[in-house]
Amino acid sequence: MSMAFLEVTNLCKSYGQAEILKQINISVDRGEILGLVGPTGSGKTTLLRLINLLEEPSSGSILLEGQRKSGRPEREKIAARRRMAMVFQKPVMFKSNVLENICFGLRARQLDQPEQRKEKAMQALQSVGLPGYESRDANTLSGGEMQRIALARAIILQPELLLLDEPTANLDPRSASAIDSILLGLAGGRTAMILATHNMMQCRRLADRVAVLVGGRITALGKSEDILGRAERSGISSPAIAGLEIPW
Amino acid sequence: MEEIWNGILRAIELIITLNPEVMGITARSLFISFAAVFLAAIIDIPLGGLIELRDFRGKKALVELIQTLYGLPTVTVGLLVFLLLSRSGPLGELELLYTPAGMVIGQMILISPILTGLTISALKGVGPQIRDTAVSLGADECQVIGAIIKEARFAVISAVLIAFGRALSEVGVAMMIGGNIRDYTRVLTTSIALQTSMGNLEMSIALGILLIGISMILNLSLSRFQGR
């Protein structure tokens, strides 16, 4: 039996008395997109932050290719993080131009020479539909443009695991569709993806499997057509998912 | 009043004619204070970054202590460094007492709390999202500190300018560690004190005008940075 690229086992996270995540067990294979749906406050962002090793779980483990990465020394966590990239729900830009922002991760990981970085950045800008933006001050861009720059900043790293927290939340339908195409282009390759979203349509389009997170627990996990088909047959739409009205 | 007026006129003449002694003292002051700030910045800015970014026991107390030391009396620092550098002191063998290098060390100690504390305050102003973004993109601790300092660069430069102003205008360390030796450790502040005590008001006023002028340029630069 082949080993999943990412395995999350019995993961719990509490802040003081508040239990945010309870006994989470999920896995993602290379080339697979796992959709993570659930209402606001269900713990999706916390789960992605834990997987990105930005926070330590209260208990449980995060494993990459069978090797435990949570609870390890910072040096090991940095090495593990360099195999991943995360796009935050509200991305922030460094006080610099777009090119510097996109190349930050490549520089931090000491990948490529400056000329190659620039070339890759241009390609990444092209793929997110923002060619010619390289000299723009990143902090003067609109929310949607920032979101696309954040995605470019992540995909330029060619991560083995891409964590996406509502990556199209601030985008118009056309831009969102372009982003979906980029993500589908990455799927099937070496990149495993977790896509946290409220948008069931997007989840259906992109995700191979779906995990439903409600109140910090995985309440359903399976193939997207099964899970989302059940929801649709029950007459549940995207706002209903966001509003806790999940009958599972 | 006439004496003061004559003093001002003479001072202007000394400055306009680039009087060698006045220019020498000014250049020495700037050099010593610049060296102290440069060396202190290399240590204190990353140190401020480490203190701000790391969580450890006693962090709050340490930050409060650093802030308390902003107003460290210059003569106290002068005395401390004097005891360290004097012949019978632990660093006496280095023979740094009454040298510009000794003055640089003294000024570094004097401005370190300001530079470290203001760096901590500057970095506090950078949201945690920037740190998370840098970390998630694979930055190690040094790269994260570098990125955050870059984000707060205007506030950090302000801290450096404030520290430079403090170093340039202090007299206790310069007098006690430098010894006010002519053409060697005599700087603007010690020279003003000496010339005034000798009744040479023209020279005092000339040096005073230069000191105020430099301070004004510093403050103008500071306002410009803080306005960004």
Side-chain angles (χ1 to χ4, degrees):
Chain A
M1 190 175 126
S2 68
M3 183 188 294
F5 178 72
L6 169 76
E7 278 180 89
V8 173
T9 55
N10 302 320
L11 195 78
C12 298
K13 180 68 181 175
S14 302
Y15 297 104
Q17 298 295 311
E19 268 191 281
I20 306 299
L21 293 174
K22 300 157 196 165
Q23 294 292 323
I24 303 291
N25 288 286
I26 53 170
S27 63
V28 191
D29 289 319
R30 284 182 186 276
E32 184 188 25
I33 301 181
L34 175 71
L36 190 60
V37 294
T40 305
S42 59
K44 299 190 297 291
T45 298
T46 305
L47 178 56
L48 293 187
R49 288 176 62 82
L50 288 170
I51 294 171
N52 199 207
L53 306 170
L54 293 173
E55 294 181 43
E56 275 296 314
S58 304
S59 63
S61 303
I62 291 155
L63 299 99
L64 287 186
E65 293 185 318
Q67 290 190 319
R68 188 182 162 141
K69 299 298 173 189
S70 53
R72 304 298 301 162
E74 189 57 26
R75 194 166 43 86
E76 281 185 44
K77 286 202 276 187
I78 290 168
R81 263 187 230 115
R82 288 180 176 178
R83 301 174 69 182
M84 315 177 196
M86 180 164 170
V87 177
F88 293 89
Q89 188 174 2
K90 288 180 184 162
V92 292
M93 296 288 125
F94 299 109
K95 280 184 193 163
S96 191
N97 63 26
V98 168
L99 184 68
E100 291 282 310
N101 266 276
I102 294 183
C103 291
F104 184 93
L106 289 176
R107 271 202 318 277
R109 297 170 192 214
Q110 292 162 358
L111 298 172
D112 303 323
Q113 295 300 310
E115 276 310 307
Q116 289 169 298
R117 282 181 205 147
K118 191 174 175 184
E119 203 173 302
K120 282 186 175 179
M122 296 302 188
Q123 284 169 8
L125 276 173
Q126 186 82 39
S127 66
V128 296
L130 296 174
Y133 269 56
E134 62 274 10
S135 304
R136 299 264 299 260
D137 180 346
N139 280 289
T140 61
L141 303 178
S142 68
E145 287 169 336
M146 281 192 194
Q147 195 95 36
R148 283 193 271 174
I149 297 298
L151 185 63
R153 192 163 61 181
I155 60 175
I156 197 175
L157 300 168
Q158 297 179 301
E160 293 172 82
L161 175 62
L162 183 56
L163 306 167
L164 303 148
D165 193 0
E166 303 278 2
T168 55
N170 299 322
L171 300 183
D172 58 85
R174 198 173 154 193
S175 304
S177 171
I179 297 299
D180 286 357
S181 303
I182 295 166
L183 298 179
L184 276 174
L186 290 171
R190 64 195 278 272
T191 306
M193 277 183 263
I194 300 181
L195 169 69
T197 182
H198 280 126
N199 186 334
M200 281 174 69
M201 289 300 288
Q202 184 186 36
C203 208
R204 195 179 174 88
R205 266 197 312 274
L206 299 179
D208 300 299
R209 286 187 303 133
V210 171
V212 180
L213 191 63
V214 180
R217 278 187 201 284
I218 300 282
T219 56
L221 176 64
K223 287 189 173 177
S224 60
E225 56 266 29
D226 294 344
I227 300 287
L228 299 174
R230 261 164 71 191
E232 280 167 13
R233 281 194 297 279
S234 308
I236 294 168
S237 59
S238 168
I241 285 266
L244 273 170
E245 296 167 27
I246 298 167
W248 307 305
Chain B
M1 192 66 197
E2 194 184 330
E3 193 179 25
I4 295 172
W5 181 241
N6 287 338
I8 291 171
L9 289 177
R10 174 82 178 120
I12 292 168
E13 188 189 329
L14 285 170
I15 294 167
I16 289 171
T17 58
L18 301 175
N19 177 277
E21 188 171 3
V22 172
M23 291 304 123
I25 290 167
T26 307
R28 195 173 307 114
S29 278
L30 288 171
F31 175 75
I32 288 171
S33 297
F34 179 79
V37 171
F38 179 76
L39 294 172
I42 289 173
I43 299 166
D44 297 332
I45 293 175
L47 180 66
L50 268 180
I51 293 171
E52 171 56 19
L53 292 184
R54 280 198 178 173
D55 287 320
F56 54 90
R57 234 169 124 173
K59 177 175 172 174
K60 197 170 169 232
L62 177 64
V63 173
E64 281 170 0
L65 175 69
I66 290 168
Q67 287 169 344
T68 306
L69 295 175
Y70 282 6
L72 201 61
T74 61
V75 286
T76 311
V77 177
L79 175 63
L80 175 77
V81 180
F82 182 89
L83 293 173
L84 284 173
L85 300 183
S86 63
R87 191 157 292 206
S88 55
L91 302 176
E93 282 183 11
L94 298 174
E95 297 184 347
L96 292 172
L97 197 59
Y98 305 128
T99 65
M103 293 167 76
V104 168
I105 292 169
Q107 289 190 357
M108 278 175 70
I109 293 171
L110 183 72
I111 63 176
S112 280
I114 295 176
L115 208 41
T116 309
L118 291 180
T119 299
I120 292 169
S121 301
L123 301 190
K124 264 195 211 312
V126 177
Q129 298 91 339
I130 283 287
R131 180 187 180 178
D132 283 347
T133 301
V135 170
S136 77
L137 287 168
D140 60 27
E141 192 174 31
C142 289
Q143 290 167 332
V144 172
I145 290 173
I148 291 175
I149 288 173
K150 203 174 165 193
E151 287 297 296
R153 57 189 175 270
F154 295 123
V156 172
I157 290 170
S158 295
V160 171
L161 290 174
I162 289 169
F164 187 71
R166 167 97 160 139
L168 191 71
S169 60
E170 71 82 26
V171 68
V173 170
M175 190 70 90
M176 293 171 80
I177 308 303
N180 201 18
I181 301 165
R182 189 173 186 180
D183 295 333
Y184 187 48
T185 58
R186 187 165 295 170
V187 290
L188 283 167
T189 51
T190 58
S191 192
I192 290 169
L194 177 74
Q195 300 294 345
T196 305
S197 68
M198 287 165 61
N200 189 357
L201 288 182
E202 295 158 1
M203 190 68 161
S204 291
I205 293 170
L207 296 171
I209 288 171
L210 278 167
L211 191 56
I212 290 168
I214 293 167
S215 296
M216 281 174 69
I217 291 167
L218 275 179
N219 277 319
L220 283 172
S221 313
L222 196 59
S223 304
R224 217 177 139 195
F225 276 120
Q226 283 170 338
R228 292 200 186 191

